[in-house]
Amino acid sequence: MMRLTSAATITGGLAAGAAGTAHATRRADRQFTLHGRRTGANIPDVLTVGLPYFVRYDLTDADGRAVGTENAHCMPVTVGPDGSFVMATLVLALTDGMITASTAFQRPLPAVTELPLDSRRWTHEFAVTGGTGSYSGAEGSVTIEHLTRDEDTLTVTLTDGTE
């Protein structure tokens, strides 16, 4: 009897452990695209190590409806004639909650920043660090493609562990 009970306990524990593992790895992925138009920035004419700047964009969805703002706080860590290495935090303040993210990236613009016309397209990715409202417990990434100096496209990919 003791052997049967022990075997049943071990088998039950293994089944519960496997079910717990399966549940822990199940995730729901969501992806959506937003379009931004710059409405504010204090980017200096010449980037300087340690001198922070911010940018702000109004965001719309694929149907052109206003859905919130994109706000980034950036800090150049190195600056050279071909660009700078920047650490940045991002807050997407959306109608149904906020998404926070951070990154470090090579900004491929010259130290004398942003020509008003014919600016270079470039992309960088943020790691989602959290969220509020509909995005509570969010994980994932935000990829930002800078189309022009004043326009960008954000692809938000969320892995939500809070099913």
Side-chain angles (χ1 to χ4, degrees), residues 33-138:
T33 301
L34 302 172
H35 302 282
R37 173 152 300 288
R38 187 187 295 182
T39 56
N42 73 340
I43 302 172
D45 290 335
V46 177
L47 294 181
T48 303
V49 171
L51 181 62
Y53 62 90
F54 80 91
V55 292
R56 176 185 171 94
Y57 292 76
D58 285 342
L59 296 173
T60 56
D61 65 13
D63 296 324
R65 292 184 300 247
V67 294
T69 59
E70 166 192 351
N71 304 280
H73 181 264
C74 305
M75 173 78 73
V77 177
T78 63
V79 176
D82 296 332
S84 59
F85 190 74
V86 176
M87 294 186 325
T89 57
L90 176 71
V91 176
L92 302 180
L94 305 173
T95 54
D96 55 349
M98 287 195 291
I99 298 171
T100 59
S102 64
T103 193
F105 62 94
Q106 182 68 33
R107 183 180 172 159
L109 301 174
V112 177
T113 60
E114 302 191 314
L115 303 171
L117 301 172
D118 298 325
S119 59
R120 184 187 311 181
R121 289 176 79 138
W122 58 288
T123 301
H124 56 105
E125 185 174 16
F126 287 78
V128 171
T129 57
T132 65
S134 295
Y135 309 102
S136 182

